[in-house]
Amino acid sequence: MVIFRLIILLPMRLKALFIFLVLESYMLPCYTKQLFGIDCPGCGLQRSALFLIKGEFISAFIMYPAIYPMLMLFAFLGIKKLFPFKHSNTITITLMVSTVSFILINYFLKFI
């Protein structure tokens, strides 16, 4: 039974590994940076997500510090759909404000 599972799951895992290795060549370019020569507030999000997929959590934070509040917000919104909370609106607003704050602070610190 265990050998049967390994035989079935091995090609799926190899395919997933191949997709993650090739994913870096399919990233979208930043048109704001190409047109105006300055970073946009979202610059670094794709590379940060790729670092998260690879398991490089510190590099993901260094690349785009808003990745973790954003992930917490999306996770909470998903959980909120399944299980209603008493103060879910307050938590959602707090997570949204913290995510936007991280994005704007990171954006302004790039110019210093």
Side-chain angles (χ1 to χ4, degrees):
M1 185 75 167
V2 174
I3 295 173
F4 182 70
R5 280 188 186 174
L6 288 175
I7 291 172
I8 291 177
L9 293 178
L10 185 63
M12 291 171 46
R13 290 184 184 198
L14 289 175
K15 185 177 179 181
L17 178 66
F18 177 74
I19 289 171
F20 289 141
L21 293 176
V22 177
L23 191 64
E24 201 165 346
S25 60
Y26 290 106
M27 289 187 163
L28 298 172
C30 180
Y31 293 115
T32 304
K33 191 166 188 165
Q34 288 179 350
L35 291 175
F36 303 115
I38 58 172
D39 288 344
C40 69
C43 277
L45 180 61
Q46 290 182 89
R47 289 174 285 167
S48 179
L50 186 66
F51 281 137
L52 275 179
I53 290 170
K54 290 181 179 179
E56 300 176 17
F57 302 112
I58 296 173
S59 298
F61 180 77
I62 291 171
M63 183 63 60
Y64 195 72
I67 190 79
Y68 292 118
M70 193 178 298
L71 285 176
M72 288 190 321
L73 173 65
F74 291 148
F76 181 75
L77 290 175
I79 291 170
K80 186 176 98 168
K81 285 286 187 187
L82 299 174
F83 309 106
F85 291 98
K86 184 177 181 181
H87 300 289
S88 63
N89 289 336
T90 306
I91 296 170
T92 303
I93 290 171
T94 304
L95 286 171
M96 285 194 296
V97 167
S98 66
T99 301
V100 171
S101 299
F102 267 85
I103 291 170
L104 292 177
I105 290 169
N106 180 44
Y107 182 65
F108 289 125
L109 288 177
K110 285 182 183 180
F111 293 119
I112 294 178

